[in-house]
Amino acid sequence: MKEQEGVAKGANTVPEESGKRKIRSSGDYSLGDVIAGLGSRDWRILIDLYLCRLMPQSVAVDMFFLDSPDQHYPDYDSVDSDRKSILDDKNRQRALIKARRNFQEMRNGGLIESTNMIPDETDKPVHKRGRIRGETWYYLTARGLRIVEIKIGVLEESKLSKLELDMERAKKEHFWELGKVYLDLRYNWMVKFPEFNQFQDWDWHPAFSVYSDNETMSVRPDAVLRIGDQVFYIELDRSTEPVQRSPFYTDQVSIEKKLERYRDVLKLSSNKIQKSGFIAFILPDAVYKTRLENIKKAASLVFPNDEQRVLVGKNIGDIIMSVQ
């Protein structure tokens, strides 16, 4: 959001002795002030941002601020298509303005930060540059990180390092693909099971390491999904790794080698829930069919007596429904 928007908003300024007003920074707000001003939607945004790691403004607007047009324009259902198109545009603009104001308030409270710079463009000579600013992306600050972890009860050993969180920006595309899986799970699938409450009956843990009993071996899924007593080790497959390694390169990363790692770690675990977890590959790309068959073949080699241990689907819904 542009800095001048904060200037235009009187609530974000404080009086000075000279009679002038200055913008309030995050240092002007106590943590209690910030928390007292958070509504249920604010908490949902912060929690989803924590579990996604990052979020583009366009998605945040659609998910949290874009209401049905008929809620704001009573004549919406009775007008013609041209008028509906105009009202749709007005409704989206209204949602965008509301979102920007809301995010500015959370930024003023020191909970989020954002960037829209395109670094590669700024390195080019001026006459060769395209747009140097693109989509606005939101991230949690250290303060935002900590209050979310307290809110949802993250254990001390599982808390995120701000450095680790910031370094994940270097792999933004991968983490956003994983974030979209979580949002699909949260808003399209778990709503079908209203008896399951988030953080009680089901959890989503991105980048969560699984250890053997003696902690000498570990494997790190992209995310761990728990629904009741069933655990899914989520692997977001982007078709960048070979399914099986070359016999000439024994250290080569591959799907088969990762499955072997799961097998060895889970074999040395006495935790029944962890030990019985499914390894779930999500393949959103167009190469789904060929990739699916190759992963199934690798699974049959690694788990010859338990091929159902490895699940493959195009989305998280495929994974959940495959064990119903």
Side-chain angles (χ1 to χ4, degrees), residues 58-198:
S58 57
V59 172
V61 170
D62 287 351
M63 186 154 294
F64 302 112
F65 297 93
L66 187 63
D67 301 322
S68 175
D70 56 16
Q71 293 189 37
H72 300 277
Y73 311 104
D75 60 339
Y76 181 81
D77 290 330
S78 61
V79 299
D80 59 32
S81 58
D82 290 340
R83 178 60 180 165
K84 280 185 177 179
S85 179
I86 293 172
L87 294 179
D88 285 337
D89 290 340
K90 289 179 65 176
N91 189 50
R92 180 167 292 280
Q93 186 63 25
R94 178 204 57 79
L96 177 61
I97 292 171
K98 189 172 183 179
R100 285 177 171 171
R101 287 175 177 169
N102 188 273
F103 281 119
Q104 183 63 43
E105 289 173 359
M106 287 197 281
R107 186 161 32 222
N108 290 341
L111 301 180
I112 64 169
E113 53 196 27
S114 64
T115 181
N116 61 3
M117 293 295 295
I118 305 175
D120 289 343
E121 288 297 322
T122 60
D123 285 342
K124 296 178 181 178
V126 174
H127 67 282
K128 290 187 177 181
R129 288 180 188 172
R131 293 179 58 193
I132 63 172
R133 297 183 185 275
E135 173 87 81
T136 296
W137 289 80
Y138 294 105
Y139 308 86
L140 288 175
T141 62
R143 174 186 265 193
L145 201 62
R146 295 299 162 241
I147 71 165
V148 171
E149 289 177 333
I150 293 171
K151 175 73 171 178
I152 65 178
V154 176
L155 298 176
E156 189 65 36
E157 61 270 20
S158 300
K159 289 183 177 179
L160 284 176
S161 155
K162 177 60 171 148
L163 175 61
E164 180 182 359
L165 189 68
D166 286 342
M167 286 303 299
E168 288 175 354
R169 300 187 192 194
K171 297 186 289 184
K172 180 172 67 176
E173 289 77 13
H174 173 77
F175 278 97
W176 178 232
E177 287 299 320
L178 190 62
K180 288 191 287 187
V181 174
Y182 162 73
L183 294 175
D184 185 30
L185 170 73
R186 170 69 177 84
Y187 294 100
N188 294 330
W189 291 96
M190 293 314 297
V191 293
K192 298 178 181 180
F193 306 95
E195 69 276 16
F196 287 102
N197 296 314
Q198 191 173 10

Side-chain angles (χ1 to χ4, degrees), residues 198-319:
Q198 191 173 10
F199 309 118
Q200 297 176 22
D201 304 301
W202 71 274
D203 296 294
W204 173 267
H205 303 279
F208 187 86
S209 294
V210 180
Y211 293 90
S212 61
D213 280 355
N214 56 12
E215 297 189 359
T216 58
M217 296 189 67
S218 68
V219 63
R220 189 176 175 91
D222 284 322
V224 176
L225 167 63
R226 177 189 67 88
I227 303 177
D229 290 333
Q230 185 61 66
V231 167
F232 300 86
Y233 304 116
I234 305 297
E235 293 287 344
L236 184 62
D237 184 76
R238 303 182 71 193
S239 304
T240 56
E241 296 179 359
V243 173
Q244 293 175 304
R245 63 181 180 271
S246 165
F248 302 107
Y249 299 96
T250 56
D251 291 333
Q252 185 184 44
V253 175
S254 68
I255 299 299
E256 183 178 336
K257 194 168 185 179
K258 185 118 189 211
L259 289 175
E260 290 173 353
R261 189 76 174 176
Y262 273 109
R263 179 197 62 197
D264 296 342
V265 169
L266 298 179
K267 187 187 297 182
L268 297 174
S269 173
S270 59
N271 183 312
K272 291 182 179 179
I273 294 177
Q274 177 175 298
K275 196 178 185 74
S276 62
F278 289 103
I279 304 158
F281 287 87
I282 296 178
L283 313 176
D285 294 327
V287 294
Y288 175 78
K289 287 187 178 180
T290 303
R291 193 80 171 168
L292 179 148
E293 293 304 321
N294 289 337
I295 290 177
K296 284 185 175 180
K297 182 178 178 181
S300 68
L301 295 174
V302 179
F303 298 99
N305 301 316
D306 189 15
E307 292 182 36
Q308 294 305 310
R309 171 61 66 90
V310 181
L311 307 174
V312 184
K314 290 183 179 179
N315 54 54
I316 194 66
D318 289 348
I319 300 301

